[in-house]
Amino acid sequence: MAESWQLNRFRRFLVHEFKSRIIFNGEIKANMTHEKNPKRFLHFPFFQGAFPSSPKQIPLEITAGIAFAAFAIPEVMGYTKIAGMPLVTGIYTILLPMLVFAIFGSSRHLVVGADSATAAIIASGLITMAVPGSPQYVAYAGMIALIAAIFLLIAGLLQLGFLADFLSHTVLIGFLTGVGIRISISQLAGMFGISAGSYGTFMQLASLVRDLDLTNVPTLIVSLSVIGIIFLSERIGSKVPGALIAIIGAIAASWMFDLTSYGIIILDAVPGGLPHLSFPQVPLSDIPKLFNISVACFLIILAQSAATSRAYSVKFSDTFNENSDLIGLSLANAAAGISGTFVVNGSPTKTEMVRSVGGQTQLTQLTTVFIVLIVLMFFTRPFAYLPTAVLSSMVFLIGLRLIDTEGMTALHRQRPVEFNVALITAMTVVVIGVEQGIVIAIVLSVIAHLRHSYRPLNLLLVPKPGGAMRTVPLEKGQQAVEGLLIYRFGSNLYFANENRFTKEIIELAKKDGSLKWFCISATNIGDIDFTAIEAFKNVCIQLQQMNITLVLSEVVQPVMNELDRDGITKMIGRDHIFESVQDVIEAYKRTAD
């Protein structure tokens, strides 16, 4: 009895230590318990997203993994249709790729698998190179995954995760909205039972309108039934797998009532078993043609995965390493490339699915992998009875959900300029293509970034009663103290905004003939380039000619080093560089007295 009590006590002690401490760089560091989501940098780079985990949480993770499989399998079938790949290859995306990321990734929450944006990019790029679903098409898709894996690996090793910051949320809203419109329109023909012969969004829409009288009514009834079941299940609760219910119901109806006799097209045979591991056989001369598609996929993976990981790490007060995740995503895409499937991405949709069913770590995904393995081994045969209209309806709904009307409305209301950027991106995707849309998205993101730094918010500072400072617009020209004006520049100083910097300072200096000191508050200036240094010298000279003393405050050390090196400190005088604007005011008052 006493021995059993001691054993249980020792076991509880070990569990507590495992949860509250991790080994890193040879040291034992105290950390938070799982409930507070610990930092997880183990001394071995495996399963960082799965462990440590509370023993009480493990059964919940397994249950969540089973539920997630019920959601994920129908969803990836839809993404497979978008990509133009054989149905079983979609199920492969949640086998080896998901397993590999669970082993090598750092995020506890990010779910890796097929994604609508990257699937649309693949289809848009390969439609002119091979017949969708053909062995050549599958080989091209596998090679795209391998090339994207190389880009992700290089980005991870060079710690380039920060590049995700250059794809703004605004253009992603526009890009995904455009993808959603394009996907939804592309599935209408399949939902109506009409041949979708044309390529291009508007051509497909025109073809549908022209051939509307050829609609197969039983196929349309199947499509509407699927949409109705999914909508009804969502109204009942988020944990009801409406897509799975629709698929099972459609398969059962097809088997019992022979729906093909009504002109409804079914999938026919779906191969089962595990994927065959091999290097995709693509002619060397064709590989350069795949680079643009691979780069577009890489950029979407980089931006979308990082954004999703960050959002959920904040939501759960957790930590992750975006460069480790890039390595994990690289290896996941390499696994996709050699297992006969297509590019995988960190999916916000799947990540939210896992959260909604109670999953909190990669243990959920590991459980899902096991369920998918069982499905591939024993349960692919019933899919042969599945009407293709079911998948068209599911993809149509996926497209509708990508159309971010809420985000576009918010942009239009709050930031009209950014709304125009998102709208241009969306229209490029719809009218021209997905690859071109991602290029426009990148260009517009960079332009938006330059616009913010090119036209920063520059203000004047004046003291409030009690000594604190408040800001006022430049137009007021208000002095902090009679004879002293404090000007705060709102950005780093570089070639594109140095002219604005010079012009504003000289105009303010000329505005009031009583000005004696001009203070530049440099608290927002973290860097200054060669062109801006020359502008700084020009400002010094012009103010000296107007008998105005130039002083600086709150200069950060890197900028101070530049000023020292280029002789500006000597021009201004070190005694005219202050730690704060309050010091400037006190020094000015002393000289005025």
Side-chain angles (χ1 to χ4, degrees):
M1 184 83 170
E3 183 179 347
S4 175
W5 177 82
Q6 291 286 353
L7 185 62
N8 287 333
R9 183 179 179 184
F10 181 65
R11 186 183 295 113
R12 286 196 300 270
F13 170 77
L14 287 179
V15 170
H16 173 75
E17 288 299 301
F18 181 67
K19 289 196 300 177
S20 62
R21 296 176 181 272
I22 59 173
I23 300 174
F24 180 54
N25 289 340
E27 297 178 356
I28 297 179
K29 297 187 176 182
N31 212 324
M32 299 176 290
T33 62
H34 171 73
E35 285 75 13
K36 295 184 179 179
N37 296 310
K39 285 188 176 182
R40 294 154 287 96
F41 294 99
L42 304 179
H43 64 291
F44 53 90
F46 307 124
F47 297 105
Q48 294 185 63
F51 301 107
S53 183
S54 165
K56 293 180 180 179
Q57 181 66 21
I58 291 175
L60 299 177
E61 299 286 344
I62 294 172
T63 304
I66 296 169
F68 173 56
F71 285 101
I73 293 173
E75 186 196 41
V76 296
M77 289 180 183
Y79 294 153
T80 308
K81 193 172 191 301
I82 294 171
M85 294 284 285
L87 185 66
V88 73
T89 63
I91 304 177
Y92 291 164
T93 63
I94 47 176
L95 188 65
L96 288 183
M98 187 175 285
L99 172 65
V100 167
F101 185 82
I103 295 172
F104 294 99
S106 74
S107 173
R108 296 176 78 85
H109 309 285
L110 184 67
V111 180
V112 169
D115 178 72
S116 55
T118 47
I121 291 170
I122 292 166
S124 177
L126 292 184
I127 190 70
T128 58
M129 296 180 63
V131 177
S134 66
Q136 185 184 18
Y137 190 98
V138 173
Y140 283 149
M143 183 56 70
I144 291 169
L146 289 176
I147 297 172
I150 293 171
F151 289 141
L152 289 164
L153 180 63
I154 293 171
L157 293 176
L158 296 180
Q159 299 189 351
L160 300 180
F162 70 90
L163 291 175
D165 298 335
F166 287 89
L167 260 179
S168 70
H169 184 58
T170 297
V171 296
L172 281 178
I173 288 175
F175 175 75
L176 292 176
T177 295
V179 169
I181 294 171
R182 192 179 180 93
I183 287 172
S184 296
I185 291 174
S186 71
Q187 299 307 309
L188 289 173
M191 292 171 62
F192 281 78
I194 300 171
S195 174
S198 302
Y199 175 71
T201 304
F202 289 116
M203 292 294 291
Q204 288 174 340
L205 202 54
S207 176
L208 176 70
V209 173
R210 185 183 65 244
D211 298 335
L212 206 55
D213 58 326
L214 301 177
T215 299
N216 181 275
V217 176
T219 298
L220 182 59
I221 291 172
V222 169
S223 301
L224 294 176
S225 300
V226 170
I227 292 173
I229 290 170
I230 292 174
F231 271 122
L232 182 61
S233 67
E234 289 175 350
R235 294 292 297 273
I236 295 172
S238 61
K239 294 185 178 181
V240 179
L244 183 66
I245 293 171
I247 285 177
I248 292 173
I251 290 173
S254 178
W255 177 68
M256 287 189 294
F257 303 113
D258 186 20
L259 295 185
T260 56
S261 62
Y262 298 94
I264 296 173
I265 300 172
I266 61 174
L267 290 175
D268 288 331
V270 177
L274 300 179
H276 175 65
L277 303 183
S278 64
F279 194 83
Q281 300 301 307
V282 173
L284 289 176
S285 58
D286 287 346
I287 291 178
K289 301 175 186 176
L290 304 176
F291 264 74
N292 289 343
I293 309 172
S294 303
V295 170
C297 289
F298 160 70
L299 291 169
I300 285 296
I301 293 168
L302 184 70
Q304 193 163 293
S305 300
T308 305
S309 291
R310 287 174 189 171
Y312 283 84
S313 68
V314 170
K315 183 179 291 188
F316 288 91
S317 301
D318 199 5
T319 59
F320 77 104
N321 185 311
E322 59 190 13
N323 294 306
S324 294
D325 279 356
L326 286 176
I327 301 293
L329 286 161
S330 169
L331 296 173
N333 274 285
I338 65 172
S339 60
T341 186
F342 53 98
V343 165
V344 293
N345 186 13
S347 170
T349 308
K350 293 185 183 63
T351 304
E352 178 58 25
M353 281 183 185
V354 168
R355 187 206 64 79
S356 69
V357 295
Q360 294 184 19
T361 73
Q362 294 289 334
L363 283 175
T364 298
Q365 284 79 283
L366 291 172
T367 304
T368 299
V369 168
F370 178 72
I371 299 299
V372 169
L373 182 66
I374 293 174
V375 170
L376 284 170
M377 294 295 292
F378 304 108
F379 297 108
T380 56
R381 191 171 297 176
F383 288 124
Y385 293 96
L386 183 67
T388 58
V390 174
L391 293 180
S392 293
S393 303
M394 289 170 54
V395 174
F396 174 77
L397 291 178
I398 290 170
L400 288 184
R401 286 168 182 148
L402 284 174
I403 301 172
D404 193 351
T405 52
E406 185 177 337
M408 294 292 282
T409 303
L411 284 173
H412 186 267
R413 183 176 61 252
Q414 300 169 19
R415 305 282 294 182
V417 173
E418 293 190 37
F419 169 79
N420 291 333
V421 169
L423 185 62
I424 291 169
T425 305
M427 292 310 297
T428 302
V429 172
V430 173
V431 177
I432 303 176
V434 178
E435 289 178 80
Q436 293 81 359
I438 191 63
V439 172
I440 291 295
I442 295 166
V443 171
L444 292 178
S445 290
V446 173
I447 291 173
H449 170 73
L450 290 175
R451 178 178 174 273
H452 287 307
S453 59
Y454 169 69
R455 300 185 63 186
L457 179 61
N458 306 324
L459 299 163
L460 299 177
L461 300 179
V462 296
K464 295 193 297 186
M469 305 300 293
R470 66 183 177 89
T471 58
V472 295
L474 297 184
E475 305 85 66
K476 291 191 174 181
Q478 188 173 347
Q479 297 179 1
V481 181
E482 186 177 351
L484 167 65
L485 189 141
I486 302 175
Y487 167 79
R488 173 172 288 172
F489 194 71
S491 171
N492 290 337
L493 194 53
Y494 68 111
F495 66 91
N497 59 26
E498 56 86 13
N499 186 57
R500 184 185 183 89
F501 172 80
T502 303
K503 184 179 178 182
E504 286 182 347
I505 290 176
I506 300 306
E507 286 180 353
L508 287 166
K510 289 179 177 178
K511 195 170 186 178
D512 193 332
S514 66
L515 193 63
K516 297 177 181 177
W517 276 27
F518 193 106
C519 172
I520 299 175
S521 171
T523 186
N524 294 324
I525 303 177
D527 187 31
I528 181 168
D529 72 359
F530 177 80
T531 306
I533 285 288
E534 295 304 310
F536 226 118
K537 291 178 181 178
N538 183 39
V539 165
C540 291
I541 293 169
Q542 290 195 56
L543 290 178
Q544 286 173 1
Q545 291 172 351
M546 288 186 280
N547 295 317
I548 297 174
T549 300
L550 176 63
V551 301
L552 305 178
S553 72
E554 303 158 299
V555 183
V556 297
Q557 194 58 49
V559 174
M560 181 64 77
N561 294 340
E562 287 291 335
L563 299 181
D564 289 340
R565 186 164 41 248
D566 293 291
I568 293 178
T569 303
K570 189 175 181 180
M571 291 177 67
I572 297 172
R574 191 166 290 277
D575 58 333
H576 286 154
I577 300 177
F578 301 89
E579 289 188 2
S580 67
V581 291
Q582 286 83 2
D583 292 342
V584 173
I585 294 172
E586 291 176 9
Y588 173 74
K589 288 180 177 178
R590 286 196 298 270
T591 60
D593 294 339

